[in-house]
Amino acid sequence: MEPVIINLDIRKIRLTDFMKALGQEHPVSADGNLRIYKAPYDPKGEPTMVINTETNLWRDTKSGAYGGIYDLAYELTGSCNMRDLNMYIAGEMSSIQKVSIRQVPKEQIKEENRKPKPGRKMRF
């Protein structure tokens, strides 16, 4: 597999922005720093997903599932593979912001790692 480079810091993505990318522009209701959304992983689409905008974490009031953006991506895809989760999140976020996803040959990465490091200098 070729390494993939994504110009997006996934850990810094706000869950409310991710929900916009999933097609839910606005929450069903809001109370202080809590936003209630229709659960995108639920076949019925019931409003059971609560996002805390202060901590950027979510919890499902019905199933008890909770976590950050990777946990939400896992609920949506069923994949535990970090590469798959990163690709899924970046692909969804590309609908609302510019995201660059590219594959880099392994040889190019090896060459970048072989760049000479500055040597030690002697002091007298």
Side-chain angles (χ1 to χ4, degrees):
M1 263 193 203
E2 297 293 323
V4 176
I5 296 178
I6 302 171
N7 72 335
L8 178 68
D9 191 357
I10 293 176
R11 290 182 186 354
K12 292 185 179 179
I13 295 174
R14 303 295 309 161
L15 284 172
T16 52
D17 292 338
F18 188 59
M19 292 303 288
K20 286 179 189 175
L22 292 175
Q24 296 191 46
E25 189 69 28
H26 302 288
V28 173
S29 65
D31 182 22
N33 62 339
L34 301 177
R35 305 287 183 266
I36 300 171
Y37 288 90
K38 293 179 181 176
Y41 44 81
D42 183 23
K44 296 179 183 177
E46 296 176 341
T48 58
M49 185 177 155
V50 180
I51 295 177
N52 185 331
T53 57
E54 192 174 298
T55 60
N56 200 35
L57 296 172
W58 66 276
R59 180 172 198 79
D60 190 292
T61 57
K62 187 177 178 183
S63 70
Y66 65 94
I69 193 164
Y70 282 109
D71 300 302
L72 179 56
Y74 166 74
E75 290 292 326
L76 293 166
T77 63
S79 174
C80 293
N81 185 321
M82 285 301 285
R83 183 179 191 272
D84 293 343
L85 295 176
N86 285 334
M87 292 297 290
Y88 176 75
I89 294 168
E92 293 297 325
M93 289 303 292
S94 67
S95 67
I96 63 169
Q97 73 183 50
K98 186 177 179 185
V99 177
S100 172
I101 303 170
R102 60 188 171 95
Q103 291 188 340
V104 179
K106 290 180 183 178
E107 296 79 31
Q108 184 177 351
I109 291 177
K110 288 178 184 176
E111 287 176 16
E112 289 175 2
N113 290 339
R114 279 193 236 153
K115 290 181 182 176
K117 296 179 182 176
R120 290 188 173 185
K121 297 179 182 178
M122 295 180 65
R123 292 187 197 177
F124 293 104

